[in-house]
Amino acid sequence: MDIPDNLIRKAEEIFFRFPPDRREAALVLLMFEAQRELGCIQPDTERWLAETVGVSPVKVREVLTFYSMFRREPGGRWVVQLCHNISCCLAGAENLQKLVEKKLGIKNGQTTPDGAFTLRYVECLGGCSWAPMMLVNEAQYYQLTPEKLDRIIEGLRSGKPVPPDEPTPLLGNVGEKNIA
Amino acid sequence: MSGNGSVRLLSRHFGLPGQTHIETAMKRGAYEQFKRALKMKPEEVTALVKASGLRGHGGAGFSAGLKWSFVPKDVFPRYVTVNGDESEPGTCKDRLIFEYDPHLLIEGALICAWAVQAERVYIYIRGEYFYPARIMQTAIDEARAKGFIGDNILGSGWSCAVYLATGAGQYICGEETGLLESLEGKKGWPRLKPPFYPAAIGLWGKPTIVNNVETLAYVPRILEIGADKFLAMGTPKAGGPTLFSLSGCVKKPGVYELPTGVPLKTLIYEYGGGITENRKLKAVIPGGSSSHILTAEECEDLKLDFESVAAAGSMLGSAAVMVLDETISIPQLMVWMVRFYAHESCGQCTPCREGTGWLLRLATRIADGRGRKRDLDDLYELADNIDGKTVCALGAAVAWPTKSYIKKFRPEFEALIKQ
Amino acid sequence: MPKLEIDGKPVEVPAGTNLIEAAKRLNIEIPHYCFHPGLSVVGSCRMCQVEVELNGRKSLVIGCNTAAADGMKVIINSDVVERTRRSVLEFYLQNHPLDCPICDDAGECDLQNYYMRYGLHDSRVELDEKRHKHKVHDVGPTVVLDSERCILCSRCARFCREIAGVDELGIFSHGGESELMNVPGKLLENDYAGNVVDLCPVGALTDKDFRFKRRVWYLQRTPSVCMGCSRGCNIYVDWETERSYKNPQRRIQRLKPRFNRLVNEWWMCDRGRYSYHAVDAENRLRTLRTKSDTDPHTTLDQILERAAAKIKTAISKHGAKSVAVLGSAHSSNEDLFLLKKLFAEHLKVQSMDVTLGKEPKGKEDEILMKADLAPNRRGALEIGVGPWSDSTISGDDILSGALDGDYEVLIVVGHDITRGLSAKEQAKLDQNCDYILYLGTHDNATCALADDVISIAMWAEREASYTNFQGRVQKTQQPFPPLGEALCEWRVWNELGKKLGFTVPYLNVDDVFDAIGGSIASFKGLTWEGLGAEGKMLTGVAEPPYRKVQSAHPLAAY
């Protein structure tokens, strides 16, 4: 299969992070980069990973099916990952779920017919104090209100995406000016 | 200590302009403590950290210095892995360290590596932390360019490499041996302990220190202010401050760095601004979703340190405090909680693999109002059958909340069971 | 050596022994699934949990990963342990399909067995929600996988990696959706695949060869030795002859490996495992035959009369060099001993060997398989029937000599000598040899060529001893009598000897074996009884050092 040069370069860099006699350790990272580059991990990519890393196809599939971030089928252009864990639910995530399902016309795990959006409800994303939180592909968005969620989706549709909340806002006393 | 009783030791430079860039960070003191540590003997550094009373902030609360001293004398090489898998529901503080003071973390990890004479440091970040990972990678590259990472660091004769590694979306990779399995390129199936205690047999079978991000981020501060001062910022058994992740039904959720042992009510009402819309406090989950729930009465005089929370029948864990007010349905909370563990079970051992799904079915049935008469007792008993009978602590992590929710809020469940 | 107490009974064990093994010494069972003494410890099934009291502290531990310690008290029947076991069983049974009526493993299934012994609890299984996985999945040429039944003990995956050295089975996905499977395009097809069926505690992995053939509680089990190659793995023959309404000719239902620490440990290869079909094949020789256009039937006495007459004539006219014997390395020590005594010692026949160059050779590896597909070539060596015997004439010499007309009488045991011979050459053989006597087990072209054919019993129909390539003498036990008129090879020589003036007082196989000890130095001191269940080394031959039976390049368990 045709592996993008980008990925081959990335692979070399990843192998460098591990001792030369522990090449197989690169599997999780390389699969992660391969998915970022190719969108998902399909059988020919599995074969490439097995050959490149030097592990059996069984190992590759074990890793592929174990970690929840890996996709075996292509997703939509934007994968909306909405947290449905405790703190986000306490902050109203279930209401947001209803809204986003209505807005996109799909349910959890589905992709819109035009291939634009995939919706996934995911577990805690580590944004509990800024709940509700979601990831859209690699972009983090916090403190979602129905209005903000709507704005983000419209922004993607219109080609003028809402910038992600990077860095995470400093709520709490950690952002205060007075220092110990 | 600042005027309003908060202690901004670790988070001192959060939000200051340019703190993620090494030049600016160094102007504010970054890597100074590392330079000092390199002039100390490794054992001295370990002794200092031990004396400081620093406890692990990832959930287990184990003494950091004590863990470092477990490394067997004649076994090489050694490794340090920074546990940045932050996935315990309610916890959101390590993220800020990655995003706002990456060099503090690198410095802490390097000091730890010096203390245990490790030749490699792996900073393991959960896969979903894309932005923090980018910040960390840049910071590592900067530190290498400055000579703090690499061969013969600052002429010490000691060499150490630092690399970033990522997870791919499984909570169990936050379990120390699950993390090592993931780092070795495999599924994150935790290992049997004994014999696989990482300090003795860890990454690729070699002694490995696995410490939480926050824990290591405190290390440069310990060198800066000394063990005694650090200890005094906490309790005699748990030195230093703690980053509390406050979330749920409070007006001012956020991350609060406060002395370990701060009263829970202070955190909720003084810092957190009190309950949203001034409602009544119903319950608190003090240490991430894996901890036992505490009723409002139990929270009355509770201090947030490991010993006090344990004495109250729960655990401080990752100091993720989730506040629940009177509008929250505990049966519904049970579903949100159990659903997490059912999804995150790695599947290696039977009670967790088969039990978490079963618990979820029962909890969902009850919360939906379709609960059968015996479902509640079954739910409790099944949780008890998982507790303590698994390879890793995930079994306990689902069992403790399940049992405590039922024990302390039973009437709420029973009200939903009509048959 | 730590001294501890299990269920109140004292026992002393070597340091490092885990509690399951320690309890075994007292014949106490600690139920378990994932633990196997030949594989790494993973501690994932949680079935072997027991209470342990040491230094005043009581704790619940897994027996497989806890080393016996001095002063330890192991409690296996307390309320806590019983409740824990029951709870683990319940977790397994919750999602386990109700397949017992159609599952091969019923009767030897450890879910069934442990439930009956340690469970007996009421079911809380919710029949409205069933978890679906692959059923009747063709995971490889010899094994069928039903991943719904799988209890994820990982024994099979670990076996393939640690023992066979291949990665063919994995556990995919996570949590309750975990499933044991192969990957598309890569089957479970290593040479030792059949062992996973032995290892599987339940009916997730079943043997295609045995599937639906018999219920296991009808099987009778006889210890024996595999005849597939010169390794001589210890086995059990599981057989059943009464239910003749199903495959009436199939007596052996399956072979299973039998533990022998110094030969095959717990394993056997697939080549050997499925070699039993020959015993009940359609073309087994059941009757004695003679070459005749009108009536091939004959009796043993008639054949032996003819044979003895031919031999006597040939020797008196042309000397002993006109008689040749092509024996078989598949024959037992007893067969070979009498063969030698009769022909080499008594009749002074020099042309005698057991080896033909064109004998099929098999695959050899460092695990168990040997290239020599005959079980007793070493026995032939020790007893003195070629290929390095007193006679310098090899089996190939004998065959080419027979073609050239060097021999009047040719006696062949086992070998199908027509293989590789053209029709013209076969005719030449027929013409040049005045008399060919064939002792065989299966109908083949040599039977058609021979003047007389005696059907002999196969290994699974007799008690016999065989010497493996390392010099270990092992014996089979007899599950059932030979088919039809077949009889043991040594008895043929015994009877023939009587007609040639050579009498021996042997009544049973152990008489013959003890006689071997009397005249062959390397068998001195060995007795039939003394061979026991695990065999004995030849006198003067050292026991091979213990080696773990595994691939030279094992893979990690996970």
Side-chain angles (χ1 to χ4, degrees), chain A residues 7 9 12 16 20 22 27 40 44 48 51 53 55 59 66-67 69-70 80 100 102 108 110 112 118 134 136 147 161:
Chain A
L7 185 54
R9 261 197 305 275
E12 284 196 31
F16 184 74
R22 303 283 179 188
L27 181 59
C40 63
D44 47 3
W48 173 75
E51 278 160 25
V53 178
V55 290
K59 263 283 174 345
F66 179 79
Y67 293 97
M69 287 181 80
F70 290 135
V80 176
V100 77
K102 192 151 168 246
N108 181 18
Q110 296 178 334
T112 53
T118 297
M134 75 175 174
V136 178
E147 183 273 330

Side-chain angles (χ1 to χ4, degrees), chain B residues 358 361-362 365 372 375, chain C residues 94 124-129:
Chain B
W358 197 351
R361 279 206 302 278
L362 289 171
R365 254 215 310 269
R372 296 174 253 195
D375 280 350
Chain C
Q94 173 67 3
R124 281 191 281 205
V125 168
E126 291 149 357
L127 294 171
D128 49 338
E129 294 154 358

Side-chain angles (χ1 to χ4, degrees), chain A residues 28-161:
Chain A
V28 177
L29 276 123
L30 189 54
M31 194 180 284
F32 197 74
E33 285 306 318
Q35 181 166 286
R36 290 174 89 190
E37 194 66 37
L38 303 166
C40 63
I41 308 287
Q42 297 203 299
D44 47 3
T45 313
E46 284 185 74
R47 269 192 291 277
W48 173 75
L49 283 166
E51 278 160 25
T52 311
V53 178
V55 290
S56 76
V58 170
K59 263 283 174 345
V60 173
R61 185 156 286 206
E62 281 189 332
V63 166
L64 174 60
T65 54
F66 179 79
Y67 293 97
S68 67
M69 287 181 80
F70 290 135
R71 271 193 304 277
R72 296 172 70 182
E73 297 294 328
R77 189 155 162 223
W78 297 292
V79 182
V80 176
Q81 301 146 74
L82 197 54
C83 171
H84 71 164
N85 208 304
I86 298 175
S87 295
C88 287
C89 282
L90 289 173
E94 290 189 317
N95 188 35
L96 290 176
Q97 286 172 18
K98 291 198 191 80
L99 290 172
V100 77
E101 285 177 13
K102 192 151 168 246
K103 185 156 182 79
L104 297 179
I106 52 176
K107 293 233 176 304
N108 181 18
Q110 296 178 334
T111 304
T112 53
D114 62 354
F117 295 97
T118 297
L119 179 62
R120 280 185 60 211
Y121 299 149
V122 296
E123 299 303 333
C124 183
L125 291 168
C128 319
S129 295
W130 310 276
M133 176 189 178
M134 75 175 174
L135 281 176
V136 178
N137 292 353
E138 299 185 6
Q140 54 196 45
Y141 294 100
Y142 297 101
Q143 297 167 307
L144 298 171
T145 59
E147 183 273 330
K148 183 171 180 179
L149 179 60
D150 198 84
R151 208 168 12 102
I152 292 169
I153 293 177
E154 284 310 318
L156 291 166
R157 277 183 178 156
S158 70
K160 297 200 203 84

Side-chain angles (χ1 to χ4, degrees), chain B residues 88-324:
Chain B
E88 178 74 29
T91 319
C92 52
K93 37 99 181 169
D94 293 336
R95 166 194 284 285
L96 296 183
I97 299 173
F98 289 133
E99 293 186 14
Y100 285 100
D101 209 343
H103 289 289
L104 180 63
L105 173 61
I106 295 174
E107 190 180 0
L110 283 170
I111 295 173
C112 173
W114 168 251
V116 300
Q117 294 290 286
E119 67 170 35
R120 274 170 197 260
V121 172
Y122 284 102
I123 300 181
Y124 185 94
I125 301 190
R126 62 178 294 186
E128 297 89 338
Y129 277 16
F130 293 99
Y131 172 71
R134 290 204 295 276
I135 303 294
M136 281 309 301
Q137 184 62 65
T138 309
I140 292 171
D141 294 338
E142 286 180 335
R144 191 180 297 117
K146 277 276 187 234
F148 297 126
I149 297 171
D151 292 326
N152 189 17
I153 299 174
L154 304 179
S156 65
W158 168 67
S159 304
C160 186
V162 178
Y163 298 111
L164 199 64
T166 55
Q170 277 302 123
Y171 164 73
I172 198 62
C173 294
E175 205 279 344
E176 57 179 2
T177 58
L179 192 157
L180 296 177
E181 288 287 302
S182 182
L183 202 43
E184 293 186 7
K186 302 179 264 181
K187 299 185 293 183
W189 277 19
R191 301 173 180 171
L192 280 180
K193 293 184 283 194
F196 297 111
Y197 291 104
I201 307 175
L203 189 60
W204 303 308
K206 298 297 179 187
T208 308
I209 297 297
V210 184
N211 265 141
N212 172 262
V213 167
E214 182 189 339
T215 312
L216 288 173
Y218 273 117
V219 171
R221 303 293 195 235
I222 292 172
L223 264 87
E224 185 189 316
I225 67 176
D228 294 335
K229 278 222 187 85
F230 187 80
L231 187 62
M233 286 171 139
T235 69
K237 286 217 171 105
T242 295
L243 293 179
F244 292 94
S245 312
L246 182 66
S247 66
C249 310
V250 287
K251 288 186 189 155
K252 299 201 285 179
V255 175
Y256 293 89
E257 184 170 10
L258 296 168
T260 307
V262 63
L264 176 56
K265 296 214 111 168
T266 308
L267 173 63
I268 296 176
Y269 292 101
E270 215 183 291
Y271 291 98
I275 314 290
T276 29
E277 303 197 17
N278 297 319
R279 296 198 197 112
K280 243 180 77 185
L281 175 68
K282 180 173 185 171
V284 170
I285 300 174
S289 68
S290 305
S291 57
H292 301 79
I293 199 170
L294 295 171
T295 62
E297 290 88 64
E298 290 173 316
C299 296
E300 214 29 67
D301 299 310
L302 184 64
K303 292 206 171 64
L304 290 172
D305 62 87
F306 294 102
E307 278 64 40
S308 303
V309 183
S314 183
M315 70 170 188
L316 182 61
S318 58
V321 180
M322 293 183 270
V323 179
L324 311 162

Side-chain angles (χ1 to χ4, degrees), chain B residues 187 194 345 350 354 361 378, chain C residues 65 92 94-95 124 129 171:
Chain B
K187 299 185 293 183
S345 168
T350 314
E354 309 293 343
R361 279 206 302 278
D378 281 352
Chain C
N65 196 40
Y92 277 120
Q94 173 67 3
N95 287 313
R124 281 191 281 205
E129 294 154 358
I171 297 178

